[in-house]
Amino acid sequence: MIAFDRVTYTYPGATQPVLRDVSFTVAQGEVALVVGPSGVGKSTLLRCLNGLAPHFSGGTLTGKVLVAGLDPVRESPRGMSRHVGFVFQDPEAQFVMDRVEDELAFALENAAIPLPEMDVRVETLLHWLDLAPLRARALTTLSGGEKQRVAIAAALASHPAVLALDEPTSQLDPQSAKEVLAALARLNVELGLTIVLAEHRLERVLPFADRLVYLRGLEAPVVGYPEEVLPHLELAPPVAVLGKALGWSPLPLSIEEALPFVQKMAVGEGEISPAILPHGGFPYLTTEDLTVVYNGLPAVRGVSVALYPGEVVALLGRNGAGKTTLLRALVGLVHPQEGKVRLGVRNVARLDVAEVCRQVGYLPQDPNALLFADTVLDELYITLRNHGLAPEDLTLAPETLLARLGLADKAQTYPRDLSVGERQRVALAAILVTQPGALLLDEPTRGLDYEAKQALLALLHEWRSAGMAILLVTHDVELAAQVADRALLMEAGQIVREGTPGAVLATTPLFHTQMARLFPGKGWLTVQEVLRYVTSPNGGIAPRA
Amino acid sequence: MIHATAWYIWLLAALSVLLGTRNPLYLIVLLAEMALVVEALYAPTGEKLRAPVAPGRFALFVVPAGALFNVLTTHTGATVLLRLPEAIPLLGGPLTLEGLVYGAINGLSLAALFTAFTVLNLAVPIRDLIRLAPRAFYPLAVVVSVAVTFVPTTLRQIQEVREAQAVRGRRMRGLRDWLPLFMPLLIGGLEHALQLAEALTARGFASSDAPFDAPRDQGVRYGLLGALLLLLTGGLLRLAWNLQVWGWLLMLLGAVLFGWALRRAGRSAPRSTYRRIPWTRADTLITLGAALTVIPLWLRAGAARLYSPYPALTLPLFDPWVGLAFLGLTLPVFQLYRARVAAAGAAL
């Protein structure tokens, strides 16, 4: 169905090709997963499938691409639109209409499909993606997962043979991601649809993949069955990391595949973490019975939490649970209807946002909104000027902060020319330059590759050790398990569970890590915790008792 | 479901009365009635659907702002409230009660117009906006609809950028403080536009089976050219030589030729339409109600219609028949309520 033969693609003005000598094939009905670090060309590869590269982006493509027997370069994206459905990373950015069924019908009206056939196709799409109850809903009122399913349905309107998806679950909570992936699996099995997707969250998508395309930049890509490619990946899901550590063969891709290995092992009893860790000292930031109304609806309802210096707290919850509104209320961007936010002993409602943010760094979901200076270093100096601070007032010079964040060589670069991970670190530097005592991060790992995520993890550990209070809003349960001292679970605007990550994540099925699912009831969340109990002192596997 | 055409007639009627009166009492009544329609549009959907700017909030801003601007810049009127030193450019001079009232009426009028368009924005899906365009202009209609959906996106983006700057310590005190917002907003807008363009391309927007180098329809080309020439010549005959009959005749011929060319161009741009909404009795009632709203204002209201606080401030008159006729604009509320009851019944 898809054949890449020595494909090399160079963007206009670039000195190096982004794809170099890429060759692979995908048979009809297979699911191919494209993985690799940020900026390695995953999205570009997907765009080669329907001719967006080079027709839309310009640049030069050498080698041969064949999709459903057609050459996308010759056919152009317009011609390929009937054969390749494309779902972009941000579903909202691709909607043209304002209601679900109108969005699905858009491509069909455009292709002058007669009304009776259009009716049948729209009904089928609604059925395939479980969208029938939402058919008349305005797109702006849908959840993230629902929007993604509408985008998939719209891409399938012209009955393409291939569906390409660019990070389809990166913005979704675990439940929504599960729903989207289940829909894709159903389409793949029932319709024999060939699916190609790029994704960083391997633990979510690997079980569905028949073929892996691992792009490695300057090195030749590794292509093959998942179990063949997995050993080459630095970015492996926890279940594969555990398999590697314990010498399992073949490496498991999913919990189901790992279970037979676990059943043959001797597994000791874990230490269930205490429900709540005792705190000493005075909280840096507190909320007291906080209620915030957003868009006419109570987004935060009676929330009382405290954030202490030297701890990382993970705030988890589904899309629309009120997590972002809570963060915005903490820095005074929205005002509570009831209750108070206190910074130390001071009421945040009586302080200027700028004054609060000098002591509480807040990184919103989209770091791009923060960046507007000509150079990376200027971003830091602008923040200092806004706060009326001089570099001499600081214990950590802006240049040193950039070096600590691994951006020393980027100081004179235009921030928007950087990769996603680098831009995020610049945004972090721009808010951390005032050396605040607390840091609030909203989905900081969205779109980050493995390396960038590890770099962020290391920074979080370092800042926590330095006494910073960190509140981390994330859907990435594996990250939360690795870094958090405490976890809060939010539902419909309320904190419904609070405690150590072991107590919260291991007992909430929706937010189970892979290890929690593999070893239920043990309280283990990470591979390191598991290895502590299932390996013998000499490093071998403990025999079953 | 109210038909889009019924909504457009409703809007036309609302605009006619709003632009036809300066009586603050009539404007208040009309504003209140249209606010009811806005509320009714929110309620039955049960969704978190909201106008980008709430009409009430807009009214609360624009009425005092209009009054303040007018009182400070217009120094005419008999009832002087305060005198600013003449040395202050533009603002110096007497501040009068008449100026204040006149400005407030301006604000009221603007708020009512804004509410009328909010109704249309909430009630008519973009699909119907696109369907109103001739088939030949379909790509243009999609572009317009994209521009319409761009407004809330841009407003949200402004909010995000403003907040992002605030968390970096920027205080928004004057115009200069807003300038740094422009660059991220512009770049964000361009990025969004590019993403959408890419998505439209990937979905085969404006594609057809015709190859790129297919010959153009010469009939359409000559038809449009001929129509333009006829319209221009007709206009010239009327204005330059005062040949009204010949002028009108040529212009009519030009309009007919223009319509024919559009129709022919539409045939070469094939497109189908998904589910046309049928015209119902309720749509007829709403249309009639809207039409009846207009007539009494022009027949009965007389001097009360064009109220002015000048030369002397008086209380505006209120004709109860005109007020009663305005109720015609609230007919959609009943239809929306009926739809809500029917939907609730079906759910049970």
Side-chain angles (χ1 to χ4, degrees):
Chain A
M1 178 58 71
I2 298 168
F4 273 55
D5 182 20
R6 301 177 66 83
V7 172
T8 298
Y9 177 78
T10 313
Y11 276 106
T15 50
Q16 295 279 333
V18 63
L19 295 176
R20 193 190 293 259
D21 247 357
V22 178
S23 300
F24 68 93
T25 57
V26 180
Q28 186 182 351
E30 278 190 337
V31 177
L33 178 60
V34 186
V35 295
S38 292
V40 81
K42 299 189 294 297
S43 300
T44 309
L45 186 145
L46 294 186
R47 281 161 170 79
C48 289
L49 292 172
N50 64 349
L52 281 174
H55 281 278
F56 190 84
S57 45
T60 51
L61 188 146
T62 58
K64 185 87 178 160
V65 182
L66 273 181
V67 179
L70 300 166
D71 177 358
V73 181
R74 226 175 89 86
E75 293 291 321
S76 85
R78 293 202 311 184
M80 292 306 291
S81 65
R82 291 170 201 181
H83 307 284
V84 181
F86 204 102
V87 180
F88 294 83
Q89 203 171 343
D90 179 6
E92 271 182 89
Q94 64 202 48
F95 291 147
V96 183
M97 297 291 167
D98 51 356
R99 296 202 172 254
V100 173
E101 60 179 342
D102 295 340
E103 183 64 23
L104 303 191
F106 172 73
L108 302 173
E109 287 183 323
N110 210 18
I113 304 291
L115 181 59
E117 192 188 335
M118 203 180 332
D119 264 336
V120 172
R121 285 213 203 173
V122 170
E123 291 307 320
T124 313
L125 290 169
L126 291 169
H127 168 72
W128 280 345
L129 276 305
D130 275 337
L131 292 168
L134 310 175
R135 63 186 310 152
R137 287 270 297 274
L139 291 167
T140 49
T141 65
L142 302 182
S143 70
E146 289 166 345
K147 277 180 192 160
Q148 194 62 275
R149 279 188 286 140
V150 174
I152 293 170
L156 293 175
S158 53
H159 284 184
V162 176
L163 180 65
L165 304 105
D166 196 356
E167 297 196 32
T169 72
S170 67
Q171 304 186 18
L172 303 182
D173 63 65
Q175 181 61 29
S176 303
K178 210 168 145 185
E179 286 165 12
V180 168
L181 290 171
L184 287 176
R186 206 165 52 239
L187 291 169
N188 174 244
V189 172
E190 289 179 12
L191 307 178
L193 188 70
T194 308
I195 297 175
V196 185
L197 72 158
E199 184 60 71
H200 283 307
R201 301 254 172 107
L202 281 198
E203 70 279 7
R204 287 179 173 177
V205 292
L206 204 53
F208 299 96
D210 299 309
R211 190 162 287 270
L212 265 185
V213 179
Y214 176 30
L215 298 178
R216 301 190 295 174
L218 296 177
E219 290 180 68
V222 186
V223 183
Y225 295 111
E227 52 273 24
E228 295 167 358
V229 180
L230 209 52
H232 298 273
L233 284 179
E234 294 166 37
L235 158 69
V239 74
V241 174
L242 183 70
K244 268 188 203 174
L246 299 179
W248 293 346
S249 180
L251 278 181
L253 307 179
S254 63
I255 300 295
E256 290 69 31
E257 287 180 27
L259 277 174
F261 293 105
V262 173
Q263 280 160 4
K264 289 180 197 156
M265 285 167 47
V267 178
E269 284 304 312
E271 291 168 14
I272 303 291
S273 316
I276 295 183
L277 286 174
H279 280 290
F282 197 76
Y284 194 86
L285 205 55
T286 39
T287 67
E288 298 163 9
D289 278 329
L290 193 74
T291 295
V292 184
V293 174
Y294 183 66
N295 269 350
L297 296 168
V300 175
R301 299 190 296 164
V303 168
S304 297
V305 289
L307 188 61
Y308 292 85
E311 70 165 350
V312 178
V313 178
L315 177 61
L316 301 127
R318 295 202 60 185
N319 292 102
K323 306 183 296 292
T324 298
T325 308
L326 178 60
L327 290 198
R328 293 171 71 231
L330 285 175
V331 290
L333 286 170
V334 285
H335 296 295
Q337 267 57 45
E338 285 172 35
K340 284 190 182 93
V341 179
R342 289 192 185 281
L343 175 60
V345 291
R346 292 186 298 168
N347 185 352
V348 162
R350 297 204 183 130
L351 301 173
D352 192 44
V353 175
E355 200 179 336
V356 177
C357 289
R358 192 170 154 181
Q359 295 164 69
V360 182
Y362 168 47
L363 184 71
Q365 269 186 29
D366 179 13
N368 289 323
L370 285 163
L371 308 176
F372 61 91
D374 290 337
T375 69
V376 167
L377 191 60
D378 276 355
E379 295 285 3
L380 277 66
Y381 277 98
I382 286 172
T383 306
L384 289 180
R385 265 203 306 277
N386 287 343
H387 286 292
L389 293 169
E392 307 82 70
D393 303 333
L394 307 169
T395 50
L396 192 67
E399 291 79 1
T400 319
L401 177 63
L402 282 184
R404 294 273 281 276
L405 287 162
L407 294 166
D409 57 332
K410 309 282 183 193
Q412 296 306 322
T413 311
Y414 180 55
R416 284 173 185 267
D417 284 344
L418 299 173
S419 73
V420 181
E422 287 168 337
R423 262 186 271 178
Q424 199 209 38
R425 273 181 282 156
V426 176
L428 260 176
I431 59 164
L432 285 176
V433 69
T434 59
Q435 297 161 13
L439 179 61
L440 315 179
L441 302 167
D442 197 354
E443 288 292 345
T445 58
R446 204 171 78 162
L448 289 196
D449 59 23
Y450 178 75
E451 201 182 324
K453 210 191 277 191
Q454 290 306 311
L456 180 70
L457 258 176
L459 285 171
L460 291 177
H461 283 302
E462 186 186 328
W463 293 332
R464 174 178 54 189
S465 306
M468 191 182 271
I470 300 168
L471 180 59
L472 171 74
V473 167
T474 185
H475 290 314
D476 190 338
V477 286
E478 305 292 346
L479 175 90
Q482 285 179 69
V483 74
D485 304 301
R486 199 151 56 95
L488 306 171
L489 185 63
M490 203 164 180
E491 263 177 37
Q494 292 177 305
I495 301 290
V496 292
R497 198 164 295 178
E498 179 180 1
T500 55
V504 175
L505 299 180
T507 55
T508 313
L510 188 59
F511 293 96
H512 271 357
T513 61
Q514 281 201 323
M515 293 302 107
R517 277 190 278 157
L518 201 56
F519 301 96
K522 301 288 182 190
W524 302 330
L525 298 176
T526 62
V527 174
Q528 289 72 23
E529 283 173 354
V530 172
L531 289 176
R532 213 182 299 155
Y533 293 102
V534 299
T535 52
S536 62
N538 61 9
I541 303 168
R544 192 184 248 286
Chain B
M1 193 79 180
I2 298 170
H3 200 281
T5 311
W7 278 119
Y8 280 102
I9 294 169
W10 181 93
L11 178 74
L12 211 63
L15 293 182
S16 302
V17 289
L18 288 174
L19 295 172
T21 184
R22 297 271 310 162
N23 185 325
L25 296 178
Y26 292 161
L27 286 173
I28 288 169
V29 170
L30 287 166
L31 186 60
E33 287 176 355
M34 287 187 297
L36 269 179
V37 181
V38 170
E39 274 310 305
L41 280 166
Y42 285 155
T45 57
E47 299 170 1
K48 290 181 276 180
L49 190 66
R50 284 284 181 266
V53 179
R57 190 179 284 188
F58 184 76
L60 281 177
F61 165 75
V62 80
V63 176
L68 193 68
F69 179 78
N70 203 58
V71 77
L72 287 172
T73 54
T74 315
H75 303 285
T76 50
T79 322
V80 176
L81 300 168
L82 189 74
R83 273 181 194 281
L84 290 179
E86 298 284 348
I88 305 174
L90 191 68
L91 308 181
L95 307 184
T96 66
L97 184 59
E98 288 80 6
L100 192 76
V101 172
Y102 195 90
I105 294 173
N106 285 346
L108 208 52
S109 199
L110 270 177
L113 286 171
F114 180 81
T115 312
F117 279 102
T118 302
V119 167
L120 191 78
N121 180 30
L122 290 174
V124 182
I126 286 171
R127 169 196 63 196
D128 294 329
L129 186 75
I130 291 177
R131 278 181 194 159
L132 279 179
R135 210 199 279 181
F137 291 154
Y138 175 69
L140 187 67
V142 171
V143 171
V144 171
S145 77
V146 165
V148 170
T149 54
F150 223 67
V151 174
T153 311
T154 308
L155 286 172
R156 202 173 56 227
Q157 211 188 338
I158 291 173
Q159 172 80 356
E160 279 173 14
V161 173
R162 197 182 64 81
E163 286 188 358
Q165 298 305 321
V167 303
R168 288 184 60 185
R170 178 159 283 275
R171 293 168 172 87
M172 299 298 170
R173 292 189 188 112
L175 189 62
R176 279 184 59 181
D177 295 320
W178 286 85
L179 288 179
L181 263 68
F182 179 70
M183 196 47 78
L185 198 63
L186 180 72
I187 293 167
L190 286 173
E191 279 173 357
H192 181 75
L194 268 177
Q195 278 174 3
L196 189 63
E198 199 179 21
L200 282 170
T201 312
R203 289 172 74 180
F205 172 63
S207 67
S208 71
D209 288 328
F212 289 120
D213 51 357
R216 297 269 174 190
D217 185 344
Q218 297 300 324
V220 173
R221 188 173 287 182
Y222 292 130
L224 285 174
L225 192 68
L228 191 69
L229 276 174
L230 285 169
L231 287 168
L232 281 173
T233 315
L236 208 64
L237 286 179
R238 284 182 53 233
L239 295 172
W241 291 285
N242 203 23
L243 296 169
Q244 294 295 334
V245 177
W246 283 105
W248 278 115
L249 200 67
L250 287 187
M251 285 176 72
L252 187 71
L253 266 176
V256 170
L257 192 58
F258 187 68
W260 172 83
L262 275 189
R263 199 178 156 77
R264 188 172 167 130
R267 277 212 305 270
S268 63
R271 190 173 68 88
S272 51
T273 306
Y274 179 67
R275 285 195 186 163
R276 291 183 187 281
I277 307 289
W279 183 270
T280 62
R281 208 169 53 180
D283 296 318
T284 311
L285 277 175
I286 288 167
T287 305
L288 285 175
L292 286 175
T293 304
V294 184
I295 300 164
L297 182 73
W298 294 91
L299 289 182
R300 288 187 53 92
R305 186 169 65 84
L306 295 173
Y307 170 81
S308 172
Y310 294 107
L313 191 64
T314 54
L315 279 178
L317 298 169
F318 187 86
D319 183 335
W321 288 106
V322 172
L324 204 62
F326 285 164
L327 285 175
L329 285 180
T330 60
L331 284 180
V333 176
F334 299 104
Q335 175 57 18
L336 290 166
Y337 179 73
R338 269 186 54 199
R340 183 156 46 143
V341 171
L348 286 173

